[in-house]
Amino acid sequence: MTRQVMKSQTSVIQGVGESLSEELHQMKLNTVEDVLHYFPYRYNHYELKDLSEAVHDEMITIEGKVQNEPLIRFFSRKKSRLTAKLLVGRYLITIVAFNRPFLKNQLKLGEQVTITGKWDQHRGSLTILELHKGPMPDSSRIEPVYAVKGRVTVKKMRRIIRNSLAQFSKDIVDDLPPFFLTRYRLMTRQDAVQEIHFPTSRERLKQARRRLVYDELFLFQLKLQAYKMTNRVAANGGQASLSIDHVKDFINTLPFELTEAQKKVTKEILDDLHGPYHMNRLLQGDVGSGKTVVAAIALFAVASSGYQGALMVPTEILAEQHTESLKAMFKPFSIQIDLLTSSVKGKRRQEILEKIRTGQTGIVIGTHALIQEKVEFNHLRLVVTDEQHRFGVEQRRLLKEKGKEADVLFMTATPIPRTLAISVFGDMDVSTIDQLPSGRKKIKTYWVKTDMLPRILAFIQKELSTGRQAYIITPLIEESEQLDVQNAIDVHAQLQQYFHSYTVGLMHGKLTAQEKENVMTAFKENQSQILVSTTVVEVGVNVPNASLMVIYDAERFGLSQLHQLRGRVGRGAYQSYCILISEAKSQESQERMRMMCETTDGFELAEFDLKLRGPGDFFGKKQSGLPEFRLADLAHDYRTLAVARQDAADLLRKKEFWKEDIFLSLRRYLKDSGVLEGERLD
Ligand code: ADP
Ligand code: MG
């Protein structure tokens, strides 16, 4: 019933006729609810000022008593100047208004007024901006300012909202059960909507915002998780369990002990593989935290039980590297691993496709072309994607489709603040490896200006002479007329000249897959000691003997990219270094450089990046898939998001939620959003 009223056309609001209703429609405000939820984007704060503390030219609000009939001088028909004397406490001042002769009516001798305006200390005068009769009313201290359009002025908007509140605030439904309000000391939704528009104090405004942000995030989470619950795909019938003994044997053959974090996420994943529903899980872990071996265990579990697994990566280099390391790990066991990238062609390709189709192949490793093509599997049970953040939205969708048939594990080394991960990859479970294998030495990071180049070269020389290798990263492949930044081809030529007794490799995106592989292999086998490259080496590449990463024009890279690049070193037992060469002119880039030197913790960097750039930029606007909120701002409110998520999860698990009356309105909300019918969310 009450909801129905909220859906009424805006013309039911007092003072809103047909034409104003049309204007509101232009602002996408069609219903009473839309209007009530059209929140101010900022506020004017008026606070009474003691004149003795007022500063010249400051905007101040004062209360005073009118001392004379205002004088008005007209300069022309439109131009005029009004003046009057006002007693403010012990001070007698002049108030001035230009071209507003009608203010005279509100300035009656002996009456009290409240005025906001600009203070001229030298003349002892105040130029009127706003004038109210009487002392300052509590409610006008903070005035809402709305984004408006066309003939709707801010003043008009205030009036419309004031009227809507008077007429309809009683119809605002509080979806939250009362115990939530006590638990978090939240004001009622009615109060919150009233206060967000017309705050009675700064504190109340803050509380109103807190309440409404919580609402927004909680309802969002409730929807998301209800969706997840009702849309979980039951693993079709014959999900025979996997042999855990085999898995234990495999783990025992590893040359190292798993870290606690690796053990924890491995268990989460194996539990999913055994569970009645298909896995849809994000595994995040910092660079070098050892995600590959976790993926290997999961793939092993599947393959050793007679099923198939697929591992997909964004680049061919990575596909080859993974094939190599998985083959090494699985050597003692008879599991067939095949590489399927676009460079596998002709007869060889047909053979592999056939082996996959008949189930001879246990594990397929390839680039994401794997999902785009019609590769036919015998019994695909697990799909793992490495460096997931590099996949576009489309690939993610395809994968989700695949997920209807198999378990899906997404791995990413871009540490996403957990709370944000939850909202971006909302309908997934999230596992986090929050620990590096022990014994790693912290990578020492330095930020230097270009004039230090001679010393950097000397440092590279020193590392090379102890047998180590170095990566040199540049933003561009070749010289550009537009950009004054270093390019790989020139730097490669310079360094080959300088370090003539060493071999310098060159890697960039314009090389063919075969060329890239040759360059990479040479570097891996220490046939070249320096590798000059663009960011193609960014993800996943593993050369433990490399101990030095030098990044030219480092300000041109984002924090997470710098962190990824730095992660190419420090993968062996050697002390490793990262040198950021940058003039870093803007404050933001300086902060990025400083932050890189300060910490090697990817999660810390990610949180910092999030604050620095906001969530939209953090993920890149187009692909972010971030929901848009009315009030909540994930850069600031992501802690609330975590709380809301937990609350939603707890609530959905309760039997009472599905029965009791106090949850009726939340259930109705879910039903209205189509979640309970199993419709799609996005
Ligand atoms: P990432 O998470 O960045 O993909 P990798 O899986 O490439 O990291 O692992 C980085 C390196 O750490 C590899 O050389 C791997 O063999 C090693 N490693 C992984 N787990 C452990 C562990 N528990 N103890 C010691 N070394 C480990
Ligand atoms: Mg990796």
Side-chain angles (χ1 to χ4, degrees):
M1 169 63 204
T2 39
R3 277 182 189 274
Q4 233 32 55
V5 174
M6 283 296 176
K7 298 286 179 218
S8 313
Q9 304 252 315
T10 53
S11 52
V12 302
I13 301 168
Q14 200 144 57
V16 177
E18 209 147 288
S19 78
L20 190 49
S21 185
E22 178 53 34
E23 297 270 348
L24 289 173
H25 170 72
Q26 296 298 323
M27 294 167 63
K28 297 202 174 75
L29 303 176
N30 297 314
T31 64
V32 172
E33 189 170 32
D34 293 343
V35 170
L36 286 176
H37 288 148
Y38 195 65
F39 300 141
Y41 74 94
R42 68 174 185 87
Y43 300 86
N44 287 328
H45 291 265
Y46 301 116
E47 255 162 316
L48 280 186
K49 189 89 183 184
D50 188 334
L51 269 184
S52 62
E53 286 166 14
V55 182
H56 182 62
D57 262 359
E58 188 186 8
M59 195 66 75
I60 58 171
T61 301
I62 47 150
E63 281 173 0
K65 206 172 249 176
V66 182
Q67 301 295 301
N68 62 344
E69 287 287 336
L71 298 170
I72 302 173
R73 270 184 65 187
F74 279 90
F75 307 112
S76 69
R77 213 157 57 86
K78 285 197 172 161
K79 301 245 178 223
S80 69
R81 179 168 182 267
L82 173 154
T83 55
K85 295 282 178 214
L86 195 71
L87 187 64
V88 183
R90 293 182 295 124
Y91 303 92
L92 188 65
I93 66 163
T94 306
I95 49 175
V96 187
F98 293 96
N99 314 328
R100 291 155 87 190
F102 48 85
L103 287 182
K104 185 175 180 198
N105 303 328
Q106 294 181 54
L107 292 164
K108 295 267 157 50
L109 180 65
E111 282 186 1
Q112 208 181 18
V113 287
T114 303
I115 295 174
T116 300
K118 203 180 208 184
W119 175 237
D120 184 328
Q121 175 120 49
H122 313 307
R123 295 205 172 90
S125 72
L126 188 75
T127 307
I128 302 175
L129 195 74
E130 299 254 2
L131 185 152
H132 294 286
K133 279 167 97 167
M136 180 150 87
D138 255 5
S139 58
S140 76
R141 284 183 187 189
I142 309 177
E143 264 183 355
V145 182
Y146 299 93
V148 287
K149 227 175 158 175
R151 283 184 297 149
V152 183
T153 59
V154 173
K155 259 202 171 134
K156 216 180 254 179
M157 199 64 214
R158 281 183 199 147
R159 209 191 63 225
I160 295 167
I161 291 194
R162 211 180 271 286
N163 289 348
S164 323
L165 282 167
Q167 266 176 285
F168 300 107
S169 92
K170 62 177 190 317
D171 297 306
I172 295 173
V173 182
D174 208 322
D175 290 317
L176 295 190
F179 67 88
F180 269 62
L181 305 197
T182 19
R183 185 193 299 167
Y184 297 124
R185 287 197 257 141
L186 295 171
M187 57 172 73
T188 64
R189 189 168 170 90
Q190 269 182 29
D191 285 351
V193 174
Q194 174 78 38
E195 288 282 335
I196 199 97
H197 287 296
F198 300 106
T200 51
S201 70
R202 277 178 200 259
E203 180 53 28
R204 296 272 293 169
L205 172 58
K206 206 169 112 194
Q207 294 304 330
R209 192 178 175 280
R210 191 166 72 88
R211 160 73 212 244
L212 295 172
V213 165
Y214 180 81
D215 269 28
E216 206 169 21
L217 297 176
F218 174 75
L219 291 178
F220 168 67
Q221 282 299 331
L222 195 71
K223 196 157 77 172
L224 212 59
Q225 295 190 43
Y227 174 75
K228 185 164 126 189
M229 273 174 71
T230 54
N231 284 270
R232 270 195 299 191
V233 187
N236 31 356
Q239 200 73 321
S241 60
L242 308 170
S243 163
I244 283 300
D245 287 343
H246 284 164
V247 175
K248 283 200 180 123
D249 288 346
F250 172 59
I251 293 175
N252 286 332
T253 63
L254 292 173
F256 43 70
E257 163 104 15
L258 293 179
T259 63
E260 286 309 311
Q262 282 171 322
K263 284 181 191 161
K264 184 189 70 190
V265 302
T266 302
K267 183 174 182 319
E268 287 166 354
I269 292 166
L270 291 178
D271 283 350
D272 275 1
L273 288 175
H274 282 290
Y277 300 104
H278 275 320
M279 169 164 71
N280 189 16
R281 187 173 282 279
L282 177 76
L283 171 60
Q284 56 168 344
D286 212 340
V287 199
S289 62
K291 293 182 293 295
T292 314
V293 65
V294 174
I297 294 170
L299 289 165
F300 181 89
V302 168
S304 65
S305 303
Y307 300 96
Q308 289 170 305
L311 173 59
M312 302 193 309
V313 293
T315 64
E316 298 207 359
I317 296 180
L318 218 47
E320 275 146 23
Q321 185 182 294
H322 276 326
T323 307
E324 220 170 276
S325 54
L326 258 64
K327 274 187 174 158
M329 282 190 233
F330 294 164
K331 209 173 206 163
F333 307 88
S334 55
I335 289 173
Q336 177 71 40
I337 302 177
D338 281 303
L339 175 69
L340 188 67
T341 61
S342 49
S343 4
V344 181
K345 294 197 174 86
K347 192 158 156 274
R348 174 105 189 94
R349 187 174 194 85
Q350 290 314 314
E351 274 170 28
I352 291 179
L353 286 173
E354 179 63 13
K355 276 164 71 188
I356 297 172
R357 202 179 59 74
T358 57
Q360 237 177 303
T361 301
I363 295 167
V364 188
I365 300 177
T367 52
H368 46 233
L370 251 188
I371 36 165
Q372 280 152 339
E373 281 176 47
K374 291 194 180 59
V375 179
E376 207 185 315
F377 286 87
N378 187 274
H379 194 154
L380 180 64
R381 181 133 169 210
L382 171 66
V383 179
V384 181
T385 79
D386 195 12
E387 310 298 348
Q388 144 70 16
H389 63 290
R390 299 272 291 214
F391 288 99
V393 168
E394 178 59 9
Q395 275 100 354
R396 247 158 72 183
R397 197 187 60 72
L398 278 167
L399 247 180
K400 264 193 186 162
E401 289 295 306
K402 271 262 177 286
K404 292 197 175 126
E405 309 154 14
D407 289 298
V408 181
L409 180 66
F410 298 83
M411 302 203 291
T412 175
T414 301
I416 305 164
R418 193 184 144 74
T419 43
L420 199 50
I422 287 164
S423 86
V424 178
F425 304 102
D427 48 352
M428 285 186 210
D429 295 303
V430 179
S431 291
T432 305
I433 306 185
D434 50 8
Q435 177 183 29
L436 295 182
S438 60
R440 292 274 167 82
K441 292 207 174 71
K442 205 173 152 161
I443 302 165
K444 292 188 178 157
T445 305
Y446 304 98
W447 166 30
V448 300
K449 302 268 167 99
T450 329
D451 56 12
M452 296 277 280
L453 203 56
R455 285 181 60 183
I456 298 166
L457 293 174
F459 189 66
I460 298 174
Q461 177 78 59
K462 195 171 138 238
E463 284 297 294
L464 296 182
S465 65
T466 63
R468 301 288 78 75
Q469 290 164 280
Y471 291 98
I472 317 284
I473 306 295
T474 65
L476 293 183
I477 297 178
E478 53 205 344
E479 193 167 2
S480 146
E481 292 195 353
Q482 283 86 42
L483 291 170
D484 183 24
V485 298
Q486 293 292 348
N487 68 81
I489 291 174
D490 285 357
V491 169
H492 173 256
Q494 286 158 14
L495 293 184
Q496 187 59 84
Q497 185 68 31
Y498 188 93
F499 294 106
H500 44 79
S501 55
Y502 294 98
T503 307
V504 184
L506 172 63
M507 166 81 97
H508 55 70
K510 285 193 180 164
L511 300 182
T512 65
Q514 188 58 52
E515 286 168 330
K516 278 187 205 157
E517 193 193 328
N518 294 345
V519 173
M520 208 56 230
T521 310
F523 189 62
K524 251 188 198 165
E525 293 174 356
N526 204 353
Q527 288 157 16
S528 63
Q529 291 71 44
I530 299 177
L531 183 62
V532 177
S533 174
T534 56
T535 55
V536 280
V537 294
E538 182 191 331
V539 286
V541 170
N542 193 21
V543 180
N545 189 48
S547 64
L548 178 57
M549 167 63 64
V550 179
I551 304 174
Y552 278 82
D553 299 298
E555 77 283 351
R556 302 197 63 86
F557 303 101
L559 261 183
S560 70
Q561 212 173 10
L562 289 172
H563 180 63
Q564 281 290 323
L565 287 167
R566 177 169 61 184
R568 296 311 105 220
V569 298
R571 301 175 84 84
Y574 313 106
Q575 174 61 55
S576 295
Y577 305 89
C578 174
I579 297 173
L580 307 167
I581 308 176
S582 172
E583 297 302 314
K585 298 224 171 60
S586 78
Q587 195 185 339
E588 201 212 288
S589 46
Q590 287 170 14
E591 296 221 14
R592 263 184 284 148
M593 297 306 124
R594 249 179 245 129
M595 202 61 198
M596 281 293 291
C597 298
E598 226 164 81
T599 181
T600 49
D601 180 330
F603 283 92
E604 209 176 303
L605 285 169
E607 297 235 358
F608 182 75
D609 207 18
L610 184 62
K611 287 204 185 92
L612 208 62
R613 298 191 294 157
D617 281 343
F618 186 81
F619 289 102
K621 286 228 157 39
K622 284 265 150 49
Q623 299 209 346
S624 75
L626 284 175
E628 285 206 6
F629 296 112
R630 225 182 264 279
L631 273 182
D633 167 5
L634 290 182
H636 297 108
D637 298 321
Y638 59 92
R639 289 198 175 79
T640 309
L641 181 66
V643 175
R645 175 183 153 89
Q646 191 59 51
D647 290 343
D650 291 347
L651 199 57
L652 287 170
R653 240 178 275 137
K654 280 197 174 116
K655 272 199 217 74
E656 303 91 76
F657 177 73
W658 304 100
K659 282 188 285 193
E660 284 178 18
D661 276 355
I662 49 166
F663 302 114
L664 184 64
S665 137
L666 286 176
R667 288 201 301 271
R668 195 173 288 155
Y669 164 79
L670 287 180
K671 195 156 177 289
D672 289 350
S673 346
V675 173
L676 297 186
E677 277 80 42
E679 285 168 33
R680 287 203 59 85
L681 251 193
D682 42 23

